[in-house]
Amino acid sequence: MAYYNRSSTGDNLARGLGWFSVGLGVAELMAGRTIARWMGMEDKTNLIRAYGVREITAGVGLLALGDPKPWIWSRIAGDAVDMATLAAGMENNPRAGNAGIAFGAVMAATALDIVCVQKLHQEEAYYRSLPVPDYSDRSGFPRPVSAMRGAASDAPIGEDMRTPKILRFQPAQSQTAQNQIAQNQTATS
Amino acid sequence: MRALVWHGANDIRCDTVPDPKIEHPRDAIVKVTTCAICGSDLHLHDNFMPGMEKGDIVGHEFMGEVMEVGAEAKSALKIGERVVVPFTIWCGDCDQCKRGNYSVCERSNRNKALADKVFGHTTAGLFGYTHLTGGYAGGQAEYVRVPMADRTHIKIPGGLTDEQVLFLGDIFPTGWQAAAQCDIQPTDTVAIWGCGPVGQMTIRSAILLGAKQVIAIDRVPERLAMAKAGGAITINFEEESVVERLNELTGGKGPEKCIDAVGMEAHATATIDSMMDRAKQALMLESDRAHVLREMIYVCRPAGTLSIPGVYGGLIDKMPFGMAMNKGLTWRMGQTHVNRWTDDLLNRIQEGQIDPSFVITHTVPLDQGPEMYKTFRDKRDGCIKVVLKP
Ligand SMILES: NC(=O)c1ccc[n+]([C@@H]2O[C@H](COP(=O)([O-])OP(=O)(O)OC[C@H]3O[C@@H](n4cnc5c(N)ncnc54)[C@H](O)[C@@H]3O)[C@@H](O)[C@H]2O)c1
Ligand SMILES: [Zn+2]
Ligand SMILES: [Zn+2]
């Protein structure tokens, strides 16, 4: 199974990156045009908005109570896409300086992502290295299971907990045969 | 006294709080000798259940010695008696109690007006479980006030250890009712999702009630090993396809009876529905993750029964209700009517037919409770069931 501990150092960092993703994503989505203009890449406005959606998804994934590793990996892949877009946009761009600043910021975030994912994998390796306890003798029964099957079939279980007879999966009997049985039962009782 | 107190998400602490007092003539005060952490407590710890308030004492699986008895409970309970306390508080006199439906007692929830608003009609009062069910102080504490104590108790005869009988207050009858309400026939395959403490009790109950085949589903290796020890065929949902394996094991027909012993914090391998659930839960668009319910509806044999002891708190999304309706499935669910089953189950423990203590993996003092919540939730250190000693 995937091992993770929702209160470890790696996990806290992952959650921090989750909030960062949500914040950045919302900014990209709402202020896509302003950001694009500032970097001299106004033609990329829609792309930046789409990246915003990607960031929000990763952020929410990280904040939900699950294994953060796949989401951090998705952030790293996203960082690579961001850097490629920025690098391409810097050619013949009078505002290449600003794009460069953005590039640096993405690189810094990537570094954090990598530290985080390494930490998470280390933690997983540690959990995996712990011995798995052996519970194969904990049946709770005094005798082998085969001897216990049906041992309580006489248990007092109220009619309200029972399934109507007709719905029970007994060895196949035709509907008319079942009706016949039901009639006989009412006749004798 | 010392008690485990809820302060918010991921924040349960061992605090010093005032001792409980008799507030009503039907009350009793019990000195807790042993208590346990239940899977339901995890929903509070992870803050998925609405209606908790800072300062609430948690815990609803506990037992101990009667210290004080109110005037109206004296005929039923004596000082010094040893009792397990069921997590459902019941009055014994209302229409529901008369029918044995103790978990929907109409009088034991002191916040009835609130519950009537939220649920349409109130359900029973529960210990340590949100203000929707009465906001009663729980049993992960040195002392507890037990309301309606003349009914709300199970007397324990000598000769049995705390560990053998403690689970009569919750998970044993819960597993039992989950199986009982499936009306298991000797030809039935019973599939059980979740091999936590409740799942383990359900597996044993299904065997005792005579199921032809019991199949247990989880992903934690040591929990699956314990399930196998109890007589189940196991499926690791991270390694195999649950749907394919279940069909294989039932000649393509599907299990007649499906039991959800997981509840609202279901995990899933990366299926689209489970990713959507996680995202929506984080954004508060739905409160519960329903992956297991969807899977049960899909694999269950038409005209079969779904039994749901797993706890849900609010809204679920993308429920394939058309599938359920067209397959003519029967749904059985609810909190456990604990006292309805305990005379019979206590007998079975005494006769040695089963010893529920098999599930205990950790026993620690009460003040280590807060850490143990995390160990239990994250399934670290082979943890399956934690018992606390105040
Ligand atoms: N109805 C009642 O009166 C009652 C009483 C007690 C507990 N409960 C509920 O029963 C549920 C289980 O309790 P528990 O103490 O065993 O808790 P638990 O959290 O230890 O057990 C849940 C198990 O389900 C497994 N699981 C998660 N996702 C799964 C999936 N998709 N398929 C199969 N297994 C999956 C987990 O690995 C875990 O082992 C909880 O929801 C709890 O609130 C109900
Ligand atoms: Zn419980
Ligand atoms: Zn009642």
Side-chain angles (χ1 to χ4, degrees):
Chain A
M1 74 180 236
Y3 283 83
Y4 46 87
N5 168 0
R6 294 302 319 208
S7 34
S8 70
T9 337
D11 190 77
N12 284 335
L13 183 53
R15 222 162 324 170
L17 286 164
W19 284 115
F20 172 74
S21 270
V22 170
L24 178 63
V26 169
E28 284 178 329
L29 196 60
M30 312 297 279
R33 184 173 307 278
T34 319
I35 295 172
R37 216 178 267 152
W38 177 75
M39 297 190 304
M41 296 165 60
E42 210 169 336
D43 56 325
K44 300 268 161 48
T45 300
N46 285 332
L47 194 61
I48 287 175
R49 292 213 166 108
Y51 289 174
V53 173
R54 185 200 73 208
E55 289 288 347
I56 293 173
T57 311
V60 169
L62 283 168
L63 294 173
L65 279 169
D67 183 358
K69 286 188 285 292
W71 298 106
I72 295 287
W73 279 116
S74 88
R75 270 191 49 86
I76 293 174
D79 293 338
V81 174
D82 286 351
M83 287 194 274
T85 310
L86 287 166
M90 278 192 262
E91 282 166 38
N92 307 324
N93 179 349
R95 298 207 172 157
N98 286 352
I101 294 174
F103 193 90
V106 176
M107 263 176 47
T110 313
L112 262 182
D113 285 328
I114 289 172
V115 169
C116 178
V117 88
Q118 272 177 342
K119 184 85 200 139
L120 290 168
H121 280 284
Q122 264 169 21
E123 285 167 3
E124 167 153 2
Y126 169 71
Y127 292 127
R128 277 189 193 283
S129 72
L130 299 174
V132 175
D134 180 14
Y135 297 143
S136 57
D137 57 344
R138 292 183 173 229
S139 82
F141 294 133
R143 290 191 296 284
V145 172
S146 55
M148 302 310 295
R149 197 180 298 274
S153 38
D154 61 335
I157 294 174
E159 271 312 302
D160 62 330
M161 291 282 154
R162 301 271 181 196
T163 312
K165 269 217 171 63
I166 198 79
L167 280 176
R168 289 183 190 159
F169 291 92
Q170 283 297 359
Q173 254 174 0
S174 73
Q175 175 76 51
T176 32
Q178 288 196 16
N179 285 345
Q180 198 58 51
I181 293 168
Q183 272 168 19
N184 291 347
Q185 276 172 345
T186 28
T188 51
S189 62
Chain B
M1 65 164 184
R2 306 287 287 161
L4 299 193
V5 175
W6 189 91
H7 286 264
N10 279 305
D11 189 5
I12 284 176
R13 301 179 205 163
C14 188
D15 290 346
T16 300
V17 298
D19 286 357
K21 287 193 293 281
I22 299 260
E23 292 172 22
H24 183 278
R26 285 183 77 180
D27 288 354
I29 304 291
V30 168
K31 178 183 192 317
V32 179
T33 51
T34 308
C35 56
I37 305 179
C38 175
S40 303
D41 294 327
L42 293 179
H43 307 319
L44 306 178
H45 177 269
D46 297 344
N47 203 15
F48 284 130
M49 288 295 288
M52 287 299 283
E53 285 172 21
K54 249 196 181 101
D56 287 347
I57 300 175
V58 288
H60 58 266
E61 207 169 19
F62 59 98
M63 64 179 299
E65 192 190 321
V66 178
M67 296 296 286
E68 237 182 293
V69 189
E72 287 175 26
K74 284 213 160 97
S75 56
L77 212 53
K78 310 230 155 3
I79 290 176
E81 277 181 317
R82 194 166 161 234
V83 290
V84 168
V85 180
F87 76 95
T88 39
I89 304 169
W90 59 295
C91 76
D93 309 316
C94 72
D95 288 347
Q96 295 288 7
C97 284
K98 282 187 187 140
R99 298 162 62 202
N101 294 338
Y102 306 137
S103 76
V104 289
C105 168
E106 291 168 339
R107 296 196 190 146
S108 60
N109 185 351
R110 62 179 168 185
N111 294 339
K112 180 178 182 315
L114 175 67
D116 278 343
K117 266 205 199 89
V118 176
F119 293 144
H121 302 281
T122 189
T123 58
L126 307 178
F127 289 97
Y129 219 71
T130 85
H131 288 260
L132 283 173
T133 48
Y136 294 104
Q140 285 161 10
E142 286 179 279
Y143 300 93
V144 192
R145 177 176 80 94
V146 178
M148 302 182 167
D150 51 325
R151 302 284 190 173
T152 309
H153 68 260
I154 303 149
K155 281 190 197 167
I156 301 301
L160 294 167
T161 63
D162 276 16
E163 284 69 15
Q164 280 176 294
V165 294
L166 172 65
F167 304 134
L168 282 172
D170 184 351
I171 57 169
F172 187 20
T174 295
W176 185 262
Q177 180 173 314
Q181 68 193 2
C182 284
D183 194 18
I184 294 173
Q185 301 299 308
T187 47
D188 280 346
T189 292
V190 181
I192 298 164
W193 278 255
C195 299
V198 170
Q200 301 292 345
M201 296 297 159
T202 311
I203 293 165
R204 273 67 178 178
S205 304
I207 294 281
L208 287 172
L209 291 169
K212 182 181 90 184
Q213 183 170 241
V214 176
I215 305 171
I217 304 153
D218 205 302
R219 61 174 184 159
V220 186
E222 63 272 20
R223 292 182 177 214
L224 288 167
M226 193 186 264
K228 198 162 164 218
I233 298 167
T234 57
I235 302 179
N236 182 330
F237 71 83
E238 271 192 345
E239 289 168 2
E240 311 165 86
S241 153
V242 174
V243 176
E244 276 170 27
R245 283 280 286 140
L246 284 176
N247 280 332
E248 253 168 52
L249 288 163
T250 54
K253 292 191 184 295
E256 285 81 10
K257 311 287 158 74
C258 294
I259 302 179
D260 172 358
V262 178
M264 65 199 205
E265 295 185 57
H267 286 273
T269 39
T271 51
I272 296 292
D273 79 301
S274 68
M275 307 268 262
M276 293 289 284
D277 278 336
R278 278 195 182 289
K280 284 189 190 157
Q281 208 173 32
L283 292 172
M284 295 188 204
L285 293 177
E286 70 176 340
S287 56
D288 303 2
R289 298 197 296 256
H291 179 75
V292 169
L293 286 178
R294 295 187 195 109
E295 206 160 70
M296 293 207 307
I297 294 173
Y298 188 77
V299 298
C300 189
R301 186 170 177 185
T305 299
L306 309 184
S307 161
I308 310 170
V311 164
Y312 290 84
L315 305 176
I316 51 182
D317 208 353
K318 302 276 181 301
M319 188 45 36
F321 211 77
M323 210 192 289
M325 184 273 166
N326 283 288
K327 290 170 87 172
L329 302 180
T330 299
W331 297 58
R332 301 299 310 240
M333 57 190 112
Q335 300 281 0
T336 308
H337 308 307
V338 180
N339 277 83
R340 185 198 270 226
W341 311 105
T342 44
D343 288 351
D344 180 40
L345 295 180
L346 177 58
N347 261 332
R348 292 180 194 281
I349 296 174
Q350 269 187 303
E351 283 167 8
Q353 199 175 72
I354 184 162
D355 179 355
S357 67
F358 75 88
V359 78
I360 302 173
T361 55
H362 291 64
T363 302
V364 299
L366 183 70
D367 60 1
Q368 284 175 32
E371 294 141 61
M372 290 317 284
Y373 265 86
K374 299 198 161 61
T375 307
F376 174 42
R377 182 197 55 194
D378 297 337
K379 299 160 187 78
R380 270 182 279 149
D381 193 23
C383 183
I384 300 185
K385 186 75 179 177
V386 181
V387 162
L388 305 170
K389 296 282 183 181

